[in-house]
Amino acid sequence: MRAGLESIQELYVICLKDLHAIERDSIQLLDRLLHAAGDVKLQRLIATHLHQTLEHGPQLADLLEQVESKPEGGGCASGRILLEEAGRVADGSSSGPTQDAAIMAALQRIEHFEIAGYRFVRALARHLRLDDAVEVIGTLLDEELDTSEILASLIERPLPLNDADLPLRRPWGYIK
Ligand SMILES: [Fe+2]
């Protein structure tokens, strides 16, 4: 996002373009995370969200067209950094529960970023009285919220600890 905006509609367009960029770039990332994940429930969640994400870009492009704009020129540094960090997790050489936990954390950060973006852009659509857009954005937001909620439940599951984790469990405390 950039400073010096003239109108709410201009802000709305820039926010939609930024969301379009992160959704577009998430497709390849989700595919990589799907291959890196080992847990079946996590794989299923990523596959479902990949399927949803494929639809998000065209829907955002439609919303931009309604206000006579196009997706080109979108994308913000904060979104790019989140995707890059998740990409590094996908490229990690480890596997198993620790790798899965790292994937969940990286993905959850992206989901929270998208949720914040969709909530904000929906509020702008309400201000602009774009009723159809409010509805479409609400549907996209719900899919991100569902993904985030399932991720949260997977993150909260107990993780199996291996020998390298055992010193941290000693009751007498700090390990040098
Ligand atoms: Fe998402």
Side-chain angles (χ1 to χ4, degrees):
M1 208 184 296
R2 61 187 166 84
L5 299 168
E6 297 282 317
S7 67
I8 295 295
Q9 176 156 327
E10 196 181 347
L11 179 58
Y12 174 70
V13 166
I14 286 172
C15 291
L16 281 180
K17 286 185 177 196
D18 287 349
L19 280 165
H20 184 277
I22 195 166
E23 294 286 12
R24 178 198 60 210
D25 297 340
S26 289
I27 291 168
Q28 202 199 17
L29 172 73
L30 286 167
D31 191 50
R32 287 163 67 197
L33 291 175
L34 179 59
H35 287 93
D39 182 86
V40 173
K41 286 184 179 166
L42 179 59
Q43 287 174 341
R44 204 175 300 143
L45 176 64
I46 296 172
T48 302
H49 198 50
L50 174 56
H51 190 70
Q52 292 168 336
T53 301
L54 285 166
E55 304 294 324
H56 288 186
Q59 286 174 283
L60 288 164
D62 286 347
L63 294 179
L64 281 161
E65 202 178 318
Q66 285 170 19
V67 287
E68 294 172 4
S69 186
K70 291 178 189 301
E72 282 74 30
C76 57
S78 42
R80 272 194 293 274
I81 288 168
L82 287 174
L83 294 181
E84 277 171 26
E85 286 175 350
R88 279 198 287 276
V89 173
D91 292 339
S93 55
S94 64
S95 61
T98 308
Q99 167 79 345
D100 286 340
I103 291 172
M104 290 176 214
L107 198 50
Q108 188 68 295
R109 287 193 193 101
I110 295 170
E111 292 313 306
H112 284 189
F113 184 84
E114 290 173 336
I115 287 165
Y118 279 118
R119 282 203 167 121
F120 183 62
V121 87
R122 185 175 61 175
L124 294 180
R126 282 203 186 107
H127 285 305
L128 294 165
R129 311 232 190 291
L130 299 168
D131 295 341
D132 292 348
V134 169
E135 201 166 313
V136 171
I137 295 165
T139 307
L140 299 175
L141 174 61
D142 283 346
E143 290 182 353
E144 303 298 351
L145 286 167
D146 287 348
T147 304
S148 174
E149 203 171 309
I150 297 168
L151 263 178
S153 70
L154 295 180
I155 288 165
E156 293 295 330
R157 292 179 308 176
L159 285 169
L161 300 176
N162 60 33
D163 287 349
D165 297 309
L166 288 177
L168 295 172
R169 299 168 70 197
R170 286 189 192 142
W172 54 89
Y174 185 71
I175 306 299
K176 292 194 174 91

mmCIF file of all heavy atoms in Angstrom, residues 23 49 111 114 144, ligand 1:
data_model
loop_
_atom_site.group_PDB
_atom_site.id
_atom_site.type_symbol
_atom_site.label_atom_id
_atom_site.label_comp_id
_atom_site.label_asym_id
_atom_site.label_seq_id
_atom_site.Cartn_x
_atom_site.Cartn_y
_atom_site.Cartn_z
ATOM 1 N N GLU A 23 -3.012 -13.679 -3.332
ATOM 2 C CA GLU A 23 -3.755 -14.885 -3.708
ATOM 3 C C GLU A 23 -3.102 -15.557 -4.926
ATOM 4 O O GLU A 23 -2.930 -16.767 -4.953
ATOM 5 C CB GLU A 23 -5.217 -14.544 -4.026
ATOM 6 C CG GLU A 23 -6.031 -14.040 -2.850
ATOM 7 C CD GLU A 23 -6.409 -15.133 -1.855
ATOM 8 O OE1 GLU A 23 -5.867 -16.247 -1.927
ATOM 9 O OE2 GLU A 23 -7.255 -14.851 -0.992
ATOM 10 N N HIS A 49 -7.629 -25.602 0.475
ATOM 11 C CA HIS A 49 -7.420 -24.157 0.375
ATOM 12 C C HIS A 49 -6.775 -23.780 -0.960
ATOM 13 O O HIS A 49 -7.042 -22.690 -1.486
ATOM 14 C CB HIS A 49 -6.605 -23.652 1.558
ATOM 15 C CG HIS A 49 -6.735 -22.176 1.734
ATOM 16 N ND1 HIS A 49 -7.952 -21.537 1.768
ATOM 17 C CD2 HIS A 49 -5.813 -21.191 1.826
ATOM 18 C CE1 HIS A 49 -7.771 -20.243 1.891
ATOM 19 N NE2 HIS A 49 -6.479 -20.006 1.925
ATOM 20 N N GLU A 111 -2.683 -16.560 6.463
ATOM 21 C CA GLU A 111 -4.143 -16.504 6.610
ATOM 22 C C GLU A 111 -4.556 -15.268 7.409
ATOM 23 O O GLU A 111 -5.510 -14.578 7.046
ATOM 24 C CB GLU A 111 -4.665 -17.781 7.290
ATOM 25 C CG GLU A 111 -4.533 -19.035 6.451
ATOM 26 C CD GLU A 111 -5.018 -18.841 5.028
ATOM 27 O OE1 GLU A 111 -6.157 -18.406 4.834
ATOM 28 O OE2 GLU A 111 -4.228 -19.088 4.105
ATOM 29 N N GLU A 114 -4.296 -12.258 5.250
ATOM 30 C CA GLU A 114 -5.398 -12.183 4.271
ATOM 31 C C GLU A 114 -6.711 -11.810 4.961
ATOM 32 O O GLU A 114 -7.501 -11.015 4.421
ATOM 33 C CB GLU A 114 -5.553 -13.530 3.558
ATOM 34 C CG GLU A 114 -4.396 -13.840 2.617
ATOM 35 C CD GLU A 114 -4.465 -15.247 2.039
ATOM 36 O OE1 GLU A 114 -5.095 -16.138 2.648
ATOM 37 O OE2 GLU A 114 -3.872 -15.472 0.991
ATOM 38 N N GLU A 144 -11.201 -17.946 4.169
ATOM 39 C CA GLU A 144 -9.933 -17.725 4.883
ATOM 40 C C GLU A 144 -10.114 -18.011 6.374
ATOM 41 O O GLU A 144 -9.243 -18.607 7.006
ATOM 42 C CB GLU A 144 -9.442 -16.279 4.682
ATOM 43 C CG GLU A 144 -9.253 -15.838 3.245
ATOM 44 C CD GLU A 144 -8.203 -16.626 2.483
ATOM 45 O OE1 GLU A 144 -7.460 -17.427 3.078
ATOM 46 O OE2 GLU A 144 -8.146 -16.462 1.256
HETATM 47 FE FE FE B 1 -5.675 -18.049 2.191
#
